[in-house]
Amino acid sequence: MGDIDKAERVSMQRAIIFYLLAIVLVFSLVITGRENDPVRLLPWFVTIGLAAANIFTVGLLRSRRLKALVNDESTRQHRAMAITSGFWAALVAALLLSLLATLLPMTAILTARTILTATLVATLVSFATLELRAAR
């Protein structure tokens, strides 16, 4: 299997992992709910960190050539488009939560966690969808 085939396989695997990571983020937010204990929130913080790190990096690939192939021009464009989607998701989530806060009391931690989760889920799903479409 050549480097190009490996790069395509890695890109598809990364897209699938991003979908799964988005699901984990949402479940983590739902499960912890209004929890404010830092120890109980640690898995959510770790997942957020992993998601953000994986969006902005190619990962732990050893081969420079494979890294270059995986992070090609279209992938960089998809990343930029996905980050834009995340930005808009953050704005919409912040707006909706500010309206919801007038009806229901919400803690700052829950609000921030909800906005961060919405941002990263939108970014991950957008990036994964664009990458899988490009692989067809």
Side-chain angles (χ1 to χ4, degrees), residues 6-27 46-55 57-61 70 120-132:
K6 286 180 187 177
E8 287 179 6
R9 187 181 53 157
V10 167
S11 293
M12 289 189 67
Q13 289 172 345
R14 179 174 56 183
I16 292 167
I17 289 170
F18 279 8
Y19 281 129
L20 295 174
L21 194 52
I23 292 168
V24 168
L25 278 171
V26 171
F27 278 131
V46 169
T47 308
I48 287 290
L50 288 173
N54 280 303
I55 289 168
T57 65
V58 179
L60 301 174
L61 300 174
V70 169
L120 284 172
V121 166
T123 304
L124 289 167
V125 169
S126 177
F127 184 80
T129 302
L130 291 168
E131 285 289 290
L132 288 177

Side-chain angles (χ1 to χ4, degrees), residues 104-116:
L104 300 170
M106 296 180 69
T107 64
I109 292 174
L110 179 60
T111 303
R113 288 178 48 229
T114 304
I115 293 170
L116 281 170

Side-chain angles (χ1 to χ4, degrees), residues 20-128:
L20 295 174
L21 194 52
I23 292 168
V24 168
L25 278 171
V26 171
F27 278 131
S28 179
L29 179 67
V30 170
I31 288 170
T32 55
R34 294 181 173 264
E35 188 66 48
N36 289 330
D37 180 23
V39 174
R40 299 257 333 215
L41 294 176
L42 186 62
W44 180 83
F45 282 114
V46 169
T47 308
I48 287 290
L50 288 173
N54 280 303
I55 289 168
F56 293 105
T57 65
V58 179
L60 301 174
L61 300 174
R62 293 188 179 115
S63 165
R64 285 182 187 250
R65 177 162 165 69
L66 189 56
K67 280 183 183 181
L69 288 171
V70 169
N71 196 32
D72 62 357
E73 184 178 331
S74 66
T75 298
R76 288 190 300 270
Q77 184 180 15
H78 294 160
R79 184 177 293 119
M81 292 168 67
I83 291 168
T84 301
S85 298
F87 170 78
W88 285 108
L91 288 178
V92 169
L95 176 67
L96 292 176
L97 287 173
S98 66
L99 293 174
L100 184 64
T102 62
L103 303 173
L104 300 170
M106 296 180 69
T107 64
I109 292 174
L110 179 60
T111 303
R113 288 178 48 229
T114 304
I115 293 170
L116 281 170
T117 300
T119 301
L120 284 172
V121 166
T123 304
L124 289 167
V125 169
S126 177
F127 184 80

